[in-house]
Amino acid sequence: MEKIVKKQTSIFKKILILLGIIIGLPIVIIIILIAIQPLVDGIDKSKFTSLKSQTMSIFNDIKKASAGVDDWTYEAKCVPELAGDWSTGNYFCDSTIRLDKTIASTTELSSLHEMYFPIISSSKYLTRVGELSKTSIANVAVGSVYQEYKSSDGYRCTYSAKLVQPDVVSTYDAQAHSGSTQAVLILDCTGKANGDWYKG
């Protein structure tokens, strides 16, 4: 009789231990995740701070080459991955260097590209991915250009140079009209972030 009681007690202890593990393990995992989240966020933020610093350095090199002739702009912002009821708590953070310039002839796009692309392409912060893509528009040496890069932290960066004519439906059929043709050059670096690291 004593053996049966001991056996039942032993089984009961094993069941309690098993229930303790089943209930306790998720709690321990949640506590660990909460404890390491600030560390994970700190690493994520430092990577995007680094990306912002690197793109700002490229922007400064471009501004120096421009010598005030072309009005380049710089913007760093984060947008929610999904807004409203579908928000994930994650963001897409972008660092964007941009030039919008009214041009009198389409060949000016080629000149702008030839002036600024080498600065971007030779940056120590960017590694080229694939080949430079070019398309031609009638009477234009370069109609649009696209090049993909990886930043030193592994984020995707894209360079593009193109014609924009608001009054023309198809850019490929366009001829330059004084005052309405825009050359648009952009370097955009983006990545998924744990927070809005560019706020403020």
Side-chain angles (χ1 to χ4, degrees):
M1 183 72 176
E2 191 177 326
K3 286 183 179 180
I4 293 171
V5 171
K6 282 183 178 178
K7 191 174 182 181
Q8 286 176 341
T9 304
S10 176
I11 292 170
F12 183 67
K13 282 182 180 178
K14 287 179 182 177
I15 291 170
L16 284 176
I17 290 169
L18 186 61
L19 283 173
I21 291 170
I22 291 170
I23 293 168
L25 190 60
I27 293 170
V28 170
I29 291 170
I30 289 168
I31 290 169
I32 290 170
L33 289 175
I34 290 170
I36 66 168
Q37 191 61 46
L39 177 63
V40 171
D41 285 349
I43 292 168
D44 191 59
K45 183 177 181 180
S46 71
K47 284 185 175 182
F48 279 96
T49 302
S50 173
L51 180 65
K52 184 177 179 181
S53 173
Q54 291 168 14
T55 52
M56 182 60 81
S57 176
I58 296 169
F59 173 68
N60 289 333
D61 290 343
I62 288 171
K63 289 283 282 184
K64 187 176 179 182
S66 171
V69 173
D70 295 318
D71 188 21
W72 284 87
T73 60
Y74 179 86
E75 183 180 33
K77 67 177 182 180
C78 300
V79 294
E81 182 179 22
L82 293 170
D85 295 336
W86 304 101
S87 179
T88 63
N90 293 322
Y91 292 81
F92 286 104
C93 292
D94 296 300
S95 300
T96 307
I97 302 167
R98 182 180 177 116
L99 172 67
D100 292 88
K101 183 174 184 177
T102 301
I103 55 176
S105 69
T106 51
T107 54
E108 286 185 57
L109 177 63
S110 294
S111 299
L112 289 168
H113 165 71
E114 287 166 10
M115 180 175 183
Y116 296 114
F117 178 70
I119 298 168
I120 293 167
S121 195
S122 64
S123 170
K124 64 183 178 181
Y125 302 117
L126 301 174
T127 303
R128 189 182 289 201
V129 177
E131 295 300 315
L132 183 69
S133 171
K134 293 183 182 182
T135 58
S136 294
I137 299 171
N139 303 322
V140 188
V142 176
S144 67
V145 179
Y146 177 86
Q147 177 67 58
E148 195 167 324
Y149 296 93
K150 285 278 186 186
S151 74
S152 57
D153 288 316
Y155 296 111
R156 184 174 64 89
C157 298
T158 55
Y159 163 81
S160 63
K162 61 185 176 180
L163 290 174
V164 176
Q165 291 183 292
D167 301 330
V168 179
V169 176
S170 171
T171 305
Y172 292 92
D173 296 328
Q175 298 295 323
H177 301 289
S178 180
S180 65
T181 302
Q182 295 282 316
V184 180
L185 281 71
I186 300 172
L187 175 68
D188 180 68
C189 294
T190 186
K192 192 173 179 179
N194 293 341
D196 186 354
W197 306 134
Y198 294 158
K199 183 166 55 177

